[in-house]
């Protein structure tokens, strides 16, 4: 199971605060990370879109640093909707594989903000699968030669705007 509204990890290895920070760090337009103030304003102003939920910048900060760990399900649903992830990701309704899949998709979207990464990906569209596999092998070899991990690190980690 995932992380419950109380903020405790129940098997997936991350807390509600970690998941929120992951979304803030990765789910934003290129070059414009979201701040607590902006997210609070958008959710609080979007009565119909976010179900009339009201939240303050300070409360979001407390959720992100773990000082508050029991937000309402309505707030978690609103945050999930804002960041365009399944509500269960923050509500704790996803299994570990499902939560990991959401995080993988978030990492992918973050990587695709990089123009060079996007160019490489787009140039491979339409190539036969065996050629795409060869390109993957070549990239892996470059990563190994440069003493980089086999898989790129998770982007983000900057928690500006807390």
């Amino acid at each position: 199971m995932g992380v419950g509204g109380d903020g405790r990890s129940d098997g997936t290895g991350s807390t509600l605060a970690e998941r929120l920070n992951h979304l803030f760090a990765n789910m934003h337009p290129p070059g414009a990370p979201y701040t607590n103030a902006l997210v609070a304003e958008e959710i609080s102003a979007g009565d119909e879109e976010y179900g009339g939920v009201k939240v303050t910048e300070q409360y979001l900060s407390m959720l992100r640093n773990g000082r508050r760990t029991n937000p309402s399900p309505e707030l978690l649903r609103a945050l999930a909707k804002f960041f365009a992830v399944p509500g269960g990701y923050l509500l704790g309704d996803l299994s570990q594989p499902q939560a990991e899949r959401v995080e993988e998709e978030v990492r992918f979207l973050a990587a695709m903000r990089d123009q060079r990464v996007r160019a490489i990906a787009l140039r491979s569209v339409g190539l036969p699968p065996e050629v795409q596999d060869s390109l993957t092998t070549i990239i892996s070899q470059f990563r190994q030669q440069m003493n980089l991990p086999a898989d790129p690190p998770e982007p983000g980690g900057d928690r500006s705007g807390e």
Side-chain angles (χ1 to χ4, degrees), residues 113-130:
R113 281 196 308 266
D114 182 315
Q115 186 175 2
R116 289 183 182 125
V117 171
R118 222 175 24 252
I120 291 168
L122 290 172
R123 284 185 174 100
S124 72
V125 171
L127 295 174
E130 59 275 6

Side-chain angles (χ1 to χ4, degrees), residues 18-19 21-28 103-114 117 143 151-159:
E18 290 168 333
R19 287 184 181 207
N21 285 319
H22 182 73
L23 293 175
F24 270 86
N26 295 293
M27 293 297 288
H28 58 79
E103 290 173 355
E104 179 181 321
E105 289 174 7
V106 168
R107 283 190 296 277
F108 170 78
L109 291 172
M112 292 309 289
R113 281 196 308 266
D114 182 315
V117 171
R143 292 188 66 79
D151 293 319
E154 185 173 318
D158 173 25
R159 294 181 181 173

Side-chain angles (χ1 to χ4, degrees), residues 26-123:
N26 295 293
M27 293 297 288
H28 58 79
Y34 292 128
T35 63
N36 293 333
L38 183 119
V39 173
E41 182 181 324
E42 289 289 322
I43 288 175
S44 296
D47 282 338
E48 286 185 35
E49 186 175 3
Y50 297 106
V53 171
K54 304 292 182 202
V55 64
T56 65
E57 170 185 0
Q58 294 78 14
Y59 190 69
L60 280 179
S61 178
M62 289 186 278
L63 288 174
R64 292 181 65 194
N65 65 32
R67 286 190 298 184
R68 291 287 186 266
T69 58
N70 196 17
S72 71
E74 293 79 18
L75 175 57
L76 293 176
R77 282 189 205 94
L79 286 165
K81 182 170 185 148
F82 179 86
F83 287 109
V85 297
Y89 177 68
L90 294 176
L91 286 165
D93 294 341
L94 300 182
S95 68
Q96 182 173 351
Q98 290 171 321
E100 288 170 355
R101 176 71 179 149
V102 169
E103 290 173 355
E104 179 181 321
E105 289 174 7
V106 168
R107 283 190 296 277
F108 170 78
L109 291 172
M112 292 309 289
R113 281 196 308 266
D114 182 315
Q115 186 175 2
R116 289 183 182 125
V117 171
R118 222 175 24 252
I120 291 168
L122 290 172
R123 284 185 174 100

